[in-house]
């Protein structure tokens, strides 16, 4: 009889947890203060380069319909990626994360902060190949395109 009670309690707890997750999203989003689409309609232009080095290229990042798009990554076939944004308690800062993928050239994980008209991003480009996985750490600094 005690075994049935224990199983019943776990079943009820699991159902309750499933109800919360389906009603409010993932457990991480329950506490992270996510702001869906907080950056939509904004484009930032600026310079990009490898971490620790000077800028080597121009870049434009566009936020639209909950997605991040890198104009500079178009030649490598990178698709738009969903982004998550979270407002910080520090003024008008918005932190965001996104992931974009290319069928042939791997994936890029984007992590950045928008404050006022400025954006500061670190991103990691990972590509698997015959000789192992290649990773490039890059940065982007830009301003709001008006």
């Amino acid at each position: 009889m005690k075994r049935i009670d224990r199983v019943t309690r776990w079943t009820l707890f699991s159902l309750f947890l499933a109800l919360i997750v389906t009603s409010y999203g993932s457990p991480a989003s329950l506490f992270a203060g996510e702001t869906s689409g907080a950056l939509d309609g904004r484009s930032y232009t600026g310079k990009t380069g490898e971490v620790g080095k000077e800028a080597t290229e121009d870049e434009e990042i566009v936020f639209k319909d909950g997605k991040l798009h890198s104009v500079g990554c178009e030649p490598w076939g990178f698709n738009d990626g969903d982004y998550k944004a979270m407002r910080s308690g520090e003024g008008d800062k918005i932190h965001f994360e996104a992931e974009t993928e290319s069928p042939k050239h791997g994936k890029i994980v984007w992590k950045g902060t928008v404050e006022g008209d400025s954006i500061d991003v670190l991103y990691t480009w990972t590509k698997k190949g015959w000789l192992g996985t290649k990773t490039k750490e890059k940065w982007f600094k830009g301003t709001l395109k008006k």
Side-chain angles (χ1 to χ4, degrees), residues 51-101:
V51 171
K53 297 182 180 179
E54 297 286 322
T56 55
E57 303 169 66
D58 293 325
E59 173 66 287
E60 180 176 353
I61 293 179
V62 179
F63 294 94
K64 182 179 177 186
D65 300 326
K67 297 191 179 292
L68 176 146
H69 174 77
S70 165
V71 174
C73 293
E74 286 175 359
W76 289 274
F78 280 91
N79 299 320
D80 298 352
D82 293 335
Y83 75 87
K84 295 178 187 174
M86 180 178 69
R87 289 197 183 275
S88 172
E90 310 160 17
D92 63 349
K93 280 188 183 179
I94 300 174
H95 303 281
F96 69 90
E97 292 184 10
E99 186 173 302
T100 56
E101 290 190 49

Side-chain angles (χ1 to χ4, degrees), residues 2-141:
K2 287 184 182 182
R3 180 165 163 53
I4 294 171
D5 290 336
R6 192 175 302 146
V7 170
T8 302
R9 280 185 277 177
W10 276 109
T11 302
L12 289 173
F13 176 75
S14 298
L15 289 171
F16 176 72
L17 187 58
L19 177 65
I20 289 174
V21 170
T22 56
S23 297
Y24 296 104
S26 69
S29 66
L30 285 173
F31 304 105
E34 284 185 22
T35 306
S36 179
L39 298 170
D40 282 0
R42 299 184 192 186
S43 295
Y44 295 87
T45 57
K47 298 288 186 180
T48 187
E50 287 191 49
V51 171
K53 297 182 180 179
E54 297 286 322
T56 55
E57 303 169 66
D58 293 325
E59 173 66 287
E60 180 176 353
I61 293 179
V62 179
F63 294 94
K64 182 179 177 186
D65 300 326
K67 297 191 179 292
L68 176 146
H69 174 77
S70 165
V71 174
C73 293
E74 286 175 359
W76 289 274
F78 280 91
N79 299 320
D80 298 352
D82 293 335
Y83 75 87
K84 295 178 187 174
M86 180 178 69
R87 289 197 183 275
S88 172
E90 310 160 17
D92 63 349
K93 280 188 183 179
I94 300 174
H95 303 281
F96 69 90
E97 292 184 10
E99 186 173 302
T100 56
E101 290 190 49
S102 165
K104 293 182 180 178
H105 297 283
K107 72 176 182 175
I108 300 176
V109 176
W110 306 82
K111 294 182 181 187
T113 303
V114 171
E115 185 171 16
D117 288 346
S118 299
I119 189 170
D120 191 3
V121 183
L122 289 175
Y123 59 103
T124 305
W125 185 350
T126 305
K127 181 179 179 183
K128 293 181 182 178
W130 289 99
L131 300 175
T133 302
K134 293 182 182 180
T135 302
K136 283 188 182 180
E137 300 271 332
K138 299 187 85 174
W139 59 268
F140 167 69
K141 290 186 185 289

